[in-house]
Amino acid sequence: MPGPARQAQILDVCRRLAVTEGYEDVTLERVARECNITRTVIYQQFGGREGMLTALIDREIANTAAGFAEATSGVRDGDVATAVRRVLEAVDADADTWRLFMLPAIGAPPELYDRLERGRSLVRRYLAESARRLAVGDAVDTEIFARLVHAAADEAVRLRLTHPEVYSIDRLVKQIVRLTE
């Protein structure tokens, strides 16, 4: 199997194990066994467990960032309903990736939290810039607005991931829109 395809296979197994069983169960032995390879192949591709998990996190952060960018692209300022709906649809389309970050399992590597905070900072900046473009005078404290909307959106994503049968996209969108009116 070519290097990139092998890396993808290894990272796919890592993601599944991290989501279903937790990072502690993502061992070189387990991943090698499930990929039908030797641990040496993992060392060649990633340098070891830490490198493998860092590569997983980097790949999945890139996927969530791309999903967020695609979901919010072309949404006009102030159209909260469309932006939230599209983000929640992106969550549904790649729930395991979003679970890694929104519901991190015990034993997650420190790199996860570092990259997660960087991603959250970018989302808050996006929200603050949107609020700034819409604000009239001093009517909105854009920093606080961005933090509060971000917290509500984070919780909406968590609710959608944990209980999609209870928290429909329509129900979540309706409430976030009410919060931002």
Side-chain angles (χ1 to χ4, degrees), residues 156-175:
V157 169
R158 282 188 202 91
L159 292 170
R160 186 75 187 144
L161 287 170
T162 56
H163 302 290
E165 69 286 350
V166 175
Y167 299 103
S168 69
I169 290 176
D170 288 339
R171 185 175 177 202
L172 292 166
V173 167
K174 181 179 177 181
Q175 292 309 306

Side-chain angles (χ1 to χ4, degrees), residues 89-166:
E89 288 169 351
V91 168
D92 282 358
D94 196 7
D96 281 350
T97 293
W98 286 82
R99 266 188 199 90
L100 284 175
F101 304 113
M102 301 308 294
L103 306 165
I106 294 173
E111 293 83 6
L112 171 71
Y113 300 103
D114 174 56
R115 284 157 179 85
L116 183 56
E117 185 47 42
R118 279 192 258 159
R120 287 181 168 160
S121 178
L122 290 172
V123 171
R124 286 191 300 267
R125 188 175 325 140
Y126 165 82
L127 292 168
E129 288 171 6
S130 295
R132 201 172 295 111
R133 286 191 297 271
L134 292 171
V136 178
D138 294 332
V140 175
D141 183 322
T142 57
E143 178 191 2
I144 292 172
F145 174 84
R147 287 183 172 276
L148 293 175
V149 170
H150 184 250
D154 268 6
E155 185 60 16
V157 169
R158 282 188 202 91
L159 292 170
R160 186 75 187 144
L161 287 170
T162 56
H163 302 290
E165 69 286 350
V166 175

